[in-house]
Amino acid sequence: MNRIYALVGMCGVGKSVVCDYFKEKGWEYVYFGGVTMDELKRRGLEKNEANERAVREELRSVHGPAAFAKLLLPTIKEKLEIGNVVLDGLYSWSEYKVLKEAFGDTLEVIAIVADRRIRYERIKNRVIRPLDEEGARSRDYAEIEKLEKGGPIAMADYFVFNNGSVEQTVEQIERIIG
């Protein structure tokens, strides 16, 4: 039976690095943020924190707090027929509940965590969408207060601590997926 692992965590914890590992292993990939990026492109808006936040919040305002899970449910089901699936960017408690209802025990959640100072340093130095400390903190607050991001992290089936090297993180993932 194919499995689904949803990766959750705050910005800068290394979800993309872990997703790259899953993709290298041949897992099907669903990027929740792709919904936002596609909408920015459709509207001709620049990719930046303010526009991304506005679009994320608008999509949730229109489709409800489980918007991204609802919009991606057909894609996830389709990919699950093909093989194992990794979900990148499950954010909200509402999305978590929709996915758990749809997939039950087939879905497990892996929370990637890192110390805030390490996350902020990573975010500042990344090539794509870097943020200064104030921008990173603002994003954290918005994601916790407006997007219900804490619930799926708190309910995770597994926790991966990513304060160290990529190799150390991958070792933890390998123990989880067997």
Side-chain angles (χ1 to χ4, degrees), residues 97-112:
K97 291 189 300 185
V98 163
L99 293 176
K100 269 310 218 184
E101 183 177 316
F103 299 109
D105 291 339
T106 301
L107 170 73
E108 292 187 297
V109 176
I110 301 173
I112 316 293

Side-chain angles (χ1 to χ4, degrees), residues 69-81:
K70 289 177 182 175
L71 293 169
L72 290 170
L73 205 52
T75 301
I76 297 166
K77 287 179 179 177
E78 196 175 285
K79 289 185 179 277
L80 187 60
E81 292 294 321

Side-chain angles (χ1 to χ4, degrees), residues 130-146:
L131 295 171
D132 61 15
E133 186 171 331
E134 182 180 325
R137 184 179 302 108
S138 173
R139 182 171 177 168
D140 279 354
Y141 283 27
E143 288 180 349
I144 291 167
E145 294 172 352
K146 296 179 182 175

Side-chain angles (χ1 to χ4, degrees), residues 43 49-59:
R43 295 180 188 188
E49 177 58 27
N51 287 343
E52 290 171 33
R53 180 183 301 171
V55 167
R56 279 192 307 267
E57 291 177 5
E58 181 184 329
L59 287 170

